Amino acid sequence: MPPAAGSPGAVAPGRGAARPLGEVRVWPRSFAERLTTPLPGVRAFARLAREGAFRPGPEGLRGIPDLPYRPAPLPAVAPGEVCVTWAGHASWVVRTGGLTVLTDPVWSRRILGTPARMTPPGVRWEELPPVDAVVISHNHYDHLDAPTLKRLPRDTALFVPAGLARWCRRRGFRRVTELDWWEYAELDGVRFEFVPAHHWSKRFLLDTCRTLWGGWLLTDLTGGGRTVYFAGDTGYGHWFGEIGARHPGIDLALLPIGAYAPRWWLRDVHADPEEAVRACLDLGARRMAPMHWAAFVLSAEPVMEPLHRVRAAWARAGQPREDLWDLPVGASRILAAVTGEPARSDPADMPLS
C-alpha cells in the first residue's frame, strides 16, 4: 500500500496549485522512506577502507591540466531565450524568463573533506549579474556551500528541498520556499518545480535523511516556454522516466556524469556517463549538458574519463552531436526563443578535442 499523503514516503499525486512563496511548513522528522536503496552499512565502509579506492591514482590525476576551462564574459540574452553558463561542478548560471538563477552555487576553493578544486569557478563572483533566485538540490557540502550563500543578499529568493528552509532562515535569508517532490512555486514568470532524484542527504553526524533531495525543472512562463531540468546529484533509476512522462519536451537536461568510482560503492547515488545518457533518453530531453565533474576530486575515476565516456555513450545512442553540450567550465550556450532557430553558442564555447 502506498504511503499516506504527508507521510515520509508520500509522493504528491499531481501538479496541483503553486505553493506560496516563503511558506512556513511542517515536515516529517525523516525522509528515509524516500531512499531508492538502503544506505551503505558497516561492511561496505570496511570494504572501502580495505580497498583504499577514494581518489584516482597518479595516472588518473595527470589529466588535470587537460580539464576544459574557458571562462568568458556572460553573453547577452534576448527575450524568450535561455542561457546556461557552467561555473563548475553542479553550479550553473541559468538566465531564463528575465531571471538569473544559480544552481547549487559553490564558489569556494575547498569544501569539507575534499582537496582544493582542480579548476576555478568559471564565472568570477564579481561578474555575475544580480541573482534573482537560487535552487538547491540537497544539503551535501559540494552542493550547499554556506560561504558562497553568505555572499548573497538576504532577500534573494531561495528554493530548497523539504526540511531545509530552517537552515537557510537561520542564516538570515527571508525569502525561502521549500518544496516536496512534484510541488512547484512561481517567481516573476518562472516556474520552479522540485522533482525526485536517486540520492540522500546528510550534513553532520546525526541528521541522515532529515531533509529531502531532488532536482529542479525551471520553466519560462513569460512566452519563451523553455524548460531546463537540473538533476542536482543522482544515481540512475526509474524517476527519470516518470519526470519525462509528466513533463514532455524538456529542452535541456543538466545531468551529472562524475564521481562514480568505485562503482560498487557509488552506483546507487551517482550516475556514470553511460547512465547519464540513458537518463537523458528516459527524460525525453532534447539536449544534454554534462556536469558534476572537472572541479572537485570526489572519487576514484581518472579526472578526464567522464568526458570521454559521455561522448562515446552519446554517439552509441545515435544522438546528434550538436545536442551534447559538453561545455568547458566557464562557457555558455543559448537556447533561442521558440521560433525553430537552433541554439547559438558563446564564442568561448569551442569544440573540445
Side-chain angles (χ1 to χ4, degrees):
M1 179 178 294
S7 73
V11 176
R15 179 173 289 176
R19 303 295 308 195
L21 294 173
E23 180 182 15
V24 177
R25 306 179 68 176
V26 177
W27 300 103
R29 183 170 176 79
S30 172
F31 293 93
E33 292 184 24
R34 305 284 186 95
L35 290 169
T36 307
T37 57
L39 295 174
V42 174
R43 289 185 179 180
F45 279 98
R47 177 181 172 183
L48 185 67
R50 185 170 63 250
E51 294 180 358
F54 300 102
R55 301 286 183 261
E59 186 64 32
L61 293 173
R62 286 193 185 119
I64 290 177
D66 300 322
L67 292 170
Y69 179 73
R70 295 178 186 162
L74 297 178
V77 181
E81 293 184 334
V82 176
C83 179
V84 295
T85 303
W86 191 30
H89 200 53
S91 302
W92 294 84
V93 184
V94 180
R95 288 179 289 162
T96 181
L99 301 185
T100 295
V101 181
L102 301 185
T103 70
D104 287 0
V106 179
W107 261 253
S108 296
R109 184 171 176 268
R110 287 182 178 273
I111 54 175
L112 185 67
T114 302
R117 57 193 307 157
M118 299 178 287
T119 53
V123 182
R124 294 180 63 244
W125 188 264
E126 296 76 16
E127 295 173 355
L128 285 171
V131 176
D132 299 292
V134 171
V135 297
I136 299 296
S137 64
H138 65 297
N139 72 354
H140 288 161
Y141 282 87
D142 60 322
H143 293 260
L144 178 63
D145 184 51
T148 299
L149 291 182
K150 189 176 181 180
R151 298 184 179 195
L152 292 165
R154 296 306 184 267
D155 61 351
T156 305
L158 304 187
F159 294 86
V160 303
L164 198 52
R166 182 180 178 185
W167 185 94
C168 300
R169 290 179 179 132
R170 284 203 308 263
R171 284 153 182 81
F173 288 96
R174 300 185 293 275
R175 301 173 65 201
V176 186
T177 303
E178 54 184 346
L179 299 177
D180 200 346
W181 289 347
W182 309 118
E183 293 182 338
Y184 73 94
E186 294 177 1
L187 174 69
D188 297 338
V190 175
R191 174 172 291 163
F192 296 75
E193 181 169 350
F194 193 51
V195 293
H198 300 273
H199 207 61
W200 64 303
S201 69
K202 185 181 182 70
R203 198 156 177 92
F204 59 91
L205 186 62
L206 300 176
D207 71 337
T208 303
C209 296
R210 294 281 182 86
T211 65
L212 197 50
W213 52 90
W216 292 92
L217 285 162
L218 308 181
T219 303
D220 175 11
L221 304 176
T222 64
R226 297 291 198 181
T227 296
V228 176
Y229 166 62
F230 168 66
D233 203 354
T234 180
Y236 176 76
H238 69 285
W239 285 126
F240 296 108
E242 178 70 13
I243 294 166
R246 294 181 182 226
H247 294 277
I250 293 170
D251 293 285
L252 173 63
L254 311 176
L255 286 162
I257 65 168
Y260 51 79
R263 205 73 200 107
W264 68 266
W265 173 251
L266 292 169
R267 181 187 310 277
D268 295 329
V269 293
H270 287 165
D272 65 22
E274 293 77 16
E275 290 170 334
V277 171
R278 190 174 166 193
C280 185
L281 299 178
D282 291 352
L283 289 161
R286 298 185 174 102
R287 304 161 190 86
M288 170 182 166
M291 65 172 182
H292 207 264
W293 77 285
F296 296 103
V297 177
L298 299 174
S299 54
E301 74 271 6
V303 296
M304 281 294 292
E305 183 180 276
L307 179 62
H308 301 318
R309 285 178 55 174
V310 77
R311 287 175 172 172
W314 192 258
R316 286 195 302 271
Q319 297 299 99
R321 179 63 182 87
E322 63 271 17
D323 290 341
L324 179 64
W325 290 12
D326 47 349
L327 301 181
V329 176
S332 303
R333 192 167 289 187
I334 294 173
L335 272 171
V338 185
T339 60
E341 297 180 16
R344 58 187 179 90
S345 301
D346 180 71
D349 176 19
M350 306 285 289
L352 298 175
S353 59

